[in-house]
């Protein structure tokens, strides 16, 4: 009886009471006004971004720019909603999800309080400014050198023009190597830590428990375990902690996610403690972590260890997988679109000299087509299609002309907006040209991959630098094709939309 009351009668009562006046909005599914189950089911399948896009654009009664996707959650694709929800001057705050997944100390991405966020963002801003990031180029160039040395070893013998290497030629998983590069890049830029992954061809690394005992864990496995763990149950915010506890008790898969995600926390702890020890031993290091320790003129920030550890966690997390995913999707897009690849090659051959192996950033930073390829690929396959929920203030707010009651979750679904025919015309077509010229500049306001406004991605300059150097160096040096021409990548949405693998044959041009 209690279960019936909690699971059925109360939601029905709330639905008809309609204290938030949300019944007037169209539903994503017939049950969306009553329960989160539709939403949870889509999250469980790892296809929520896709389902949401379908509901917004292919609704039986025509496109729906606003949809109720759960009893207390509304999704908007209207461009005005991007401004209202994320833009500078927004009255929205980060939603309840961020409270549920935070640790003992908040980091820049999960802090909700506005003034706390401003304080943290100010501290980090200098480290992430473009002028500062470009000074790190030599660090990335070294990593890219290691990456290319490994690629050279994995090359097939160059086949005749127009043909493919034979099946017995070596195969490389671009996804695996791309993330080894981004993991190494961010730990070097962020913490002056040389993980040596590219040279080893492996991401096994040291993790450290709170009591100081050490063990070995795999970086990617650990990071992705955490993303899986949070994804499905978070749709029930009021029961999240209890559900996680029960799921860990009853479901072996969940216990496994939990164990893996603990591995990531312990990797971050090891890197943070090591970096602090090096500072205490008098080493003069210049990296992103320096900005957390003191200001440019040497004023200490006096962050407690818990806060330094939390910030390290977000830098190592946000700074590695998303760029690896973006790079993998870009190579796949270019394989699927040989015309775009040919134009990009022409641009790079002109910009780079025959002796350039690692592409110098100075020579490629004005390559407009290179940038257009990256943006077009991230438009179609945003690394983070998770819709970054926000919460209306207690007094409510107007979003794209709809009055939404206080404490309601609101969302701008990235994939649905990136695939909106009324914005892009031909959203299913990979067409980098759309980003060129004045028209391309105007499209940036619909490009949500890093979101916008005060909570937009602080690492955007870092990822572009990494992506420019990696894509230009790879495309300039190698020809590539899918190992199996019929291969399509498997994508699974967690906090990021993970891509499983991308097996390629590559050979020197
Ligand atoms: C392709 C790569 C990347 C993508 C697609 C991406 C995407 C995003 C998105 C969508 C947000 C907003 C998150 C939210 O509202 O909850 C965000 C925030 C953030 N990103 Fe990135 N990111 C990327 C690379 C990076 C890198 C390389 C770093 C660090 C080196 C980084 C650090 C952060 C941080 C610290 C925040 C929180 C900012 C704040 O709330 O003030 N990201 N990113």
């Amino acid at each position: 009886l209690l279960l019936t009351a909690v699971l059925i009668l109360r939601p029905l009562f709330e639905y008809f009471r309609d204290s938030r006046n949300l019944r007037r909005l169209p539903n994503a599914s017939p049950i969306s006004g009553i329960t989160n189950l539709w939403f949870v089911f889509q999250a469980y399948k790892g296809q929520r971004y896709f389902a949401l896009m379908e509901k917004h654009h292919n609704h039986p009664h025509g496109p729906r720019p606003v949809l109720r996707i759960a009893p207390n959650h509304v999704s908007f694709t209207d461009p005005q909603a991007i401004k209202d929800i994320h833009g500078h001057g927004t009255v929205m705050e980060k939603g309840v999800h961020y409270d549920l997944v935070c640790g003992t100390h908040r980091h820049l991405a999960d802090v909700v309080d506005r003034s706390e966020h401003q304080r943290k963002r100010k501290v980090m801003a200098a480290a992430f400014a473009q002028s500062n990031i470009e000074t790190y180029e030599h660090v990335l160039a070294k990593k890219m050198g290691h990456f290319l040395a490994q690629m050279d070893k994995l090359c097939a013998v160059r086949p005749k023009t127009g043909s493919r290497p034979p099946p017995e030629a070596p195969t490389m998983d671009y996804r695996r190597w791309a993330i080894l590069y981004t993991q190494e890049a961010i730990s070097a830029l962020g913490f002056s830590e040389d993980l040596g992954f590219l040279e080893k061809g492996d991401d096994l690394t040291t993790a450290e428990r709170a009591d100081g005992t050490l063990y070995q864990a795999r970086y990617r496995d650990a990071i992705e375990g955490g993303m899986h763990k949070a994804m499905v149950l978070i749709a029930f915010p009021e029961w999240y902690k209890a559900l996680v506890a029960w799921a860990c008790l009853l479901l072996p898969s969940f216990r496994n996610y939990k164990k893996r995600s603990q591995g990531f926390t312990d990797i971050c702890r090891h890197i943070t403690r090591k970096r602090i020890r090096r500072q205490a031993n008098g080493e003069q290091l210049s990296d992103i972590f320096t900005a957390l320790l003191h200001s440019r003129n040497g004023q200490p920030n006096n962050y407690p260890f818990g806060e330094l550890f939390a910030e390290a966690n977000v830098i190592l997390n946000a700074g590695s997988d998303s760029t690896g995913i973006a790079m993998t999707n870009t190579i796949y897009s270019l394989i699927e679109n040989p015309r775009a690849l040919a134009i990009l090659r022409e641009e790079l051959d002109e910009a780079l000299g025959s002796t350039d192996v690692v592409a110098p950033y100075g020579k490629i930073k004005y390559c407009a087509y290179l940038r257009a390829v990256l943006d077009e690929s991230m438009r179609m396959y945003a690394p983070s299609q998770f819709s970054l929920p926000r919460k209306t203030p207690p007094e409510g707010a107007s979003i794209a002309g709809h009055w939404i009651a206080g404490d309601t979750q609101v969302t701008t679904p990235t994939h649905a907006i990136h695939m909106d025919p009324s914005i892009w015309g031909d959203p299913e077509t990979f067409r980098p040209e759309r980003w060129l010229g004045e028209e391309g500049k105007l499209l940036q306001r619909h490009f949500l991959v890093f979101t916008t406004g005060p909570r937009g991605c602080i690492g955007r300059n870092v990822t572009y630098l990494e992506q420019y150097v990696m894509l230009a160096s790879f495309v300039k040096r190698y020809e590539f094709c899918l190992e199996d021409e019929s291969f399509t990548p498997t994508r699974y949405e967690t906090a990021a939309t993970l891509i499983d693998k991308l097996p390629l044959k590559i050979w020197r041009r």
Side-chain angles (χ1 to χ4, degrees), residues 323-364:
T323 305
I325 293 168
M327 289 283 56
T328 309
N329 284 322
T330 304
I331 291 295
Y332 180 70
S333 303
L334 288 171
I335 292 173
E336 291 291 288
N337 296 278
R339 192 192 62 88
L341 177 59
I343 300 174
L344 176 63
R345 277 232 164 92
E346 215 179 296
E347 181 179 67
L348 292 173
D349 285 344
E350 223 166 85
L352 294 167
S354 57
T355 52
D356 288 321
V357 179
V358 174
Y361 184 63
K363 290 191 179 178
I364 52 172

Side-chain angles (χ1 to χ4, degrees), residues 94 98 108 117 121 128 186 318-319 322 390 449 455 457 463:
K94 284 208 162 184
Y98 298 87
L108 185 63
H117 174 257
R121 182 103 185 183
F128 282 94
I186 198 60
S322 45
R390 298 292 186 261
V449 81
R455 302 304 301 250
C457 178
T463 185

Side-chain angles (χ1 to χ4, degrees), residues 86 94 98 108-110 117 121 124 128 186 288 314-315 318-320 322-323 326 378 382-384 388 390 448-451 454-460 462-463 466-467:
H86 298 286
K94 284 208 162 184
Y98 298 87
L108 185 63
D110 68 18
H117 174 257
R121 182 103 185 183
M124 290 267 238
F128 282 94
I186 198 60
I288 294 171
V314 72
I315 293 169
S320 58
S322 45
T323 305
M378 288 193 282
S384 170
L388 313 174
R390 298 292 186 261
L448 270 188
V449 81
F450 302 105
T451 75
R455 302 304 301 250
C457 178
I458 201 170
R460 199 187 144 102
V462 176
T463 185
E466 289 177 22
Q467 294 191 43

